[in-house]
Amino acid sequence: MAISNEKNSDVVYVSERLQEKIDAIAGYKVTIIDAPTGYGKSTVLKKYFSNKYKNNYILTCGNSDKKIFYQEFCEIISHIDRKISDELIKEGYPVNYRDIRKLQNIILRMEPEEETYIIIDNYHYIGGEELDKFLFERYDEYDKNIKFIISSQGITSGIMLEYIDTRRFMHIEKEDMEFSKVDIKRYFIQCGFSTLDLEDINRLYEFSEGWPSAVYLQMINYEDNRTIDENLSMSLLIERAVWNHFNDIQKKIVMYSCLFDRFTIRQSKFMVDEEEEQYVEETITNCAFIKYDENEKMFYFNGIFRRYLMDRYSKLSINEQNDIIKYAGKWFVENKDYFEAIKKFYTIEDYEDMYEMQPVVMDLYPYANKENKPIFIDIILNCPEEIKKKHLVFLLIICFIIIFYNEEDLLQTTLDEVEGYIEEATYEDEKMKNTILGELYFVRAIARYNDLRAMHRYILQAYNYLKKPIRLFSGDGQWTFGSPSTLTLYYNKPGKLWKMVEYFDDNINVYYKLTNGHGKGSEAIMRAEALYNIGDIESAEILCHKAIYMAESREQHSIYLSSLTLLGKIAIYRGEYDTLKDIKEQIEKKKIVKSVKMFGNVDNRELVDLSIATLMLNVDNSEAIADWLKDENEIENRVSLLSMGYADIIYGKYLILTGQHIKLLGISGQFLGIASKYPQVLTKVYTYIYIAIANERIGNKEKADKMIKLALEDTTLDKVYMPYVENYKYIRDIVNRVAVVNGYKKDLEAIEKLYSVYSTNVRELIKIIQGEENYGLTGRECDVARLAAMRLSNKEIAESKYPGKSEEELYKIIWEQIKEINKSFPRYKYMQNMILTDKELIKTTTKKIKRNEEMK
């Protein structure tokens, strides 16, 4: 344990037992430092890295967000090996064991030239069975120069426990860092107190139970009073040992900084008066209970000290507490972290400072989730009218956010109030009034997004007032509200598909002028989706590339991703495995996009996950979708109401593929309710199809027929057939029953024609994908390998798959199959003749099977 304070800043005491463990770290590829707060985990690292140079990288986990951790982990790896880091980023955070194996194979290729330590602090926030497997399951295969040091407040999985128990990992635990009576005596001597007698040592040991932080605090108390007071509580001990040594300015500095998890010197200076700023750096840097994170370049309080400060804070008067919170809120405003500022101001009902802020919509849009709904609602309901009247732009921004919460009455009432305030107000010139009116009509337009004519009418009014881009809305947000499909959002009436597409084409340019090109390419991808859904695949593909070109010119990530998603569906239709694989990789790259905005990144995680899920579910791969898309509660928390319909399409298909038919029927009413709230033809049709499949599976054919009839009624006017084609192997019998009785014969023929191409290609595509999952074996190779492993002859293998063929035809088929195997494993160079012997074929294929099983 490192013991230091203002008077003994260089004192570091390490027991002999702990020193032995520290000395042994170099002999292990993984070291686990496991102890609660205040036991000196940071000291172990400081001691180990103090006297000799070691190449080390520190990652401090601040929360349990595994994707943020993975992003930061890849950043660290980039300093060691950029190529490996790029591959890890490309693969993304693992969602299943197959992903874990892929990541392991990548990271095992790291070969740094010098000894390199990867240190992960606060690992208890993030560790678990999944992550521990990724990092440690194959630790013994790491290059000799790669070492991991994990600092945690607990063992995070069975695999970690097993490796510790079998002594494969170095384990430094709480007991190694506790002070014995001998350690207490030696520590006091090292601090310059040779007079501590045996009675005091015993009393201190009983009081502290060996906890280093308690020993440290008693040492400071002893320095002042020359006594060990075992009757002191930890709070009183901190008060005597630390708090009472501060003057009033220092107390204010630490008290005003304790609201932040982590902070900088500049941040602490902001929190105090100008004449007090000169004391901040000395106070912060000389307090032993304030630590510095070298990796993040920020300070943080020792947990014990922060709890003490927060306890003192809770006992302040309401006015004093509010003053501190107000300063914290203003700091976040200063740094354009507007939602954090809103939370601070909201806590103390400081609407004046809140409404004076000048964010744009995209500063708050990422926080428009279920958890924050009460805050945004209350900001409107509880703010005094006189404040609203003075800050109409901020009020309109909050109205824009309310659009995502299905609070139609509150939204329209507030927008009407704003219009009334505008008319009542006195403006220096007409231009100022027109600006705020234009912004009002823009928000009205977005609120009617699903009604193109109403939306365009308001857009025109907004543009007529503004004549320039709107100021409250930046053009870098998701135009699709988080959905990978524009058509799903706007196709709202059966029989009106092409009128909608044409109207959109004719009127989108005014919106572009008003928003600096926000959503550029949306008209192209909307038409492409319409063409795809009627089966005009080639025309759809051409327009996808046009949309991508337009979107890239304005960095419109949601349009770009929508276009890639449709290109992926087209690749599936054609059975183009390599194209699909390439598109999937391009989509993954857009998960986190660097941005020039001060607050961080353009975050497309949910949109990317929905795009990937669209493609993977269309090839029946329900395991390859993100975990949150398998949980209706997580979907509700992470997807906005406007794109919920599309998420329901994904979740419904997942339930069908995993056989959860009863569950789907149970929540199908909720799906249809969402599809009706903002009328969405495609959401409703897919839901009808899923309900039909579920009813057919449980034997309710009458209900299944009814659902397909409803679906056909909604889509046949526009000849929208692809929803049926994508699910036809599940609904073929139902569609045939319904089509014959209800006069949909021509539609049935069109669906059958599209499906004849789709089904053949998708079957082969699925085989190839399953082959890739089997580490290189294609579907046909797997079949050959399994039959060969059963010791069938060449002829028997071919006959089993191609009955009725002549012997010559069978041999040709065999040869083509063998050549395919050879492409994957070119090292088998002995294939010289047209036909191999049974022995050679068995040898080749059984090796592949064995390797496949080992990899699994």
Side-chain angles (χ1 to χ4, degrees), residues 181 184-189 193-202 204 222 226-228:
K181 293 179 182 180
I184 291 171
K185 180 177 181 180
R186 288 176 178 173
Y187 170 64
F188 268 71
I189 291 172
F193 307 116
S194 56
T195 57
L196 198 65
D197 58 30
L198 183 60
E199 184 180 351
D200 282 339
I201 291 173
N202 288 334
L204 180 48
Y222 184 86
R226 287 301 189 271
T227 183
I228 301 299

Side-chain angles (χ1 to χ4, degrees), residues 97-318:
Y97 189 61
R98 186 173 64 250
D99 292 345
I100 288 172
R101 297 293 288 188
K102 284 182 182 178
L103 296 180
Q104 289 171 342
N105 290 333
I106 294 170
I107 203 169
L108 286 173
R109 299 205 315 270
M110 278 198 305
E111 295 180 347
E113 295 180 0
E114 56 186 347
E115 194 171 54
T116 300
Y117 286 82
I118 299 172
I119 302 157
I120 307 179
D121 196 13
N122 288 340
Y123 187 75
H124 51 278
Y125 282 134
I126 206 76
E129 200 73 33
E130 177 186 80
L131 188 58
D132 290 3
K133 276 185 179 178
F134 162 46
L135 292 176
F136 308 129
E137 185 179 44
R138 297 168 68 186
Y139 78 96
D140 55 330
E141 298 178 49
Y142 285 139
D143 183 83
K144 60 182 175 57
N145 283 331
I146 289 288
K147 305 284 180 70
F148 277 88
I149 298 180
I150 305 300
S151 176
S152 178
Q153 291 186 25
I155 303 302
T156 52
S157 73
I159 189 170
M160 185 184 285
L161 181 62
E162 178 190 346
Y163 287 174
I164 287 170
D165 286 347
T166 54
R167 301 181 185 278
R168 286 181 273 179
F169 287 179
M170 162 57 68
H171 185 210
I172 300 176
E173 54 191 319
K174 177 172 75 77
E175 288 73 19
D176 295 315
M177 289 179 269
E178 286 177 347
F179 278 16
S180 67
K181 293 179 182 180
V182 172
D183 293 325
I184 291 171
K185 180 177 181 180
R186 288 176 178 173
Y187 170 64
F188 268 71
I189 291 172
Q190 189 171 334
C191 289
F193 307 116
S194 56
T195 57
L196 198 65
D197 58 30
L198 183 60
E199 184 180 351
D200 282 339
I201 291 173
N202 288 334
R203 289 162 64 197
L204 180 48
Y205 183 74
E206 289 175 11
F207 170 82
S208 68
E209 296 181 344
W211 186 27
S213 288
V215 175
Y216 168 50
L217 287 167
Q218 280 283 13
M219 185 275 294
I220 298 174
N221 182 66
Y222 184 86
E223 188 172 21
D224 291 335
N225 304 306
R226 287 301 189 271
T227 183
I228 301 299
D229 190 348
E230 68 269 33
N231 294 318
L232 287 174
S233 67
M234 284 303 296
S235 291
L236 284 173
L237 200 51
I238 291 174
E239 185 164 306
R240 285 190 184 183
V242 184
W243 183 255
N244 289 342
H245 288 271
F246 289 144
N247 60 37
D248 289 342
I249 293 176
Q250 290 173 318
K251 288 176 180 177
K252 180 179 179 181
I253 290 167
V254 295
M255 181 63 76
Y256 275 53
S257 298
C258 76
L259 290 187
F260 302 110
D261 292 329
R262 290 174 179 260
F263 58 94
T264 62
I265 295 293
R266 188 170 77 87
Q267 200 165 343
S268 287
K269 285 182 177 180
F270 184 90
M271 296 292 290
V272 297
D273 297 330
E274 188 175 342
E275 62 273 15
E276 297 166 334
E277 291 181 9
Q278 60 184 307
Y279 304 104
V280 168
E281 187 164 356
E282 181 182 0
T283 302
I284 297 299
T285 56
N286 285 341
C287 179
F289 279 80
I290 299 176
K291 309 295 182 183
Y292 184 67
D293 187 324
E294 286 282 354
N295 189 42
E296 294 189 12
K297 309 299 182 189
M298 298 187 81
F299 292 90
Y300 62 97
F301 288 95
N302 170 284
I304 303 164
F305 189 40
R306 192 178 187 206
R307 282 193 292 273
Y308 170 81
L309 291 174
M310 293 305 293
D311 183 59
R312 289 194 69 92
Y313 168 83
S314 68
K315 294 172 183 174
L316 295 173
S317 69
I318 294 299

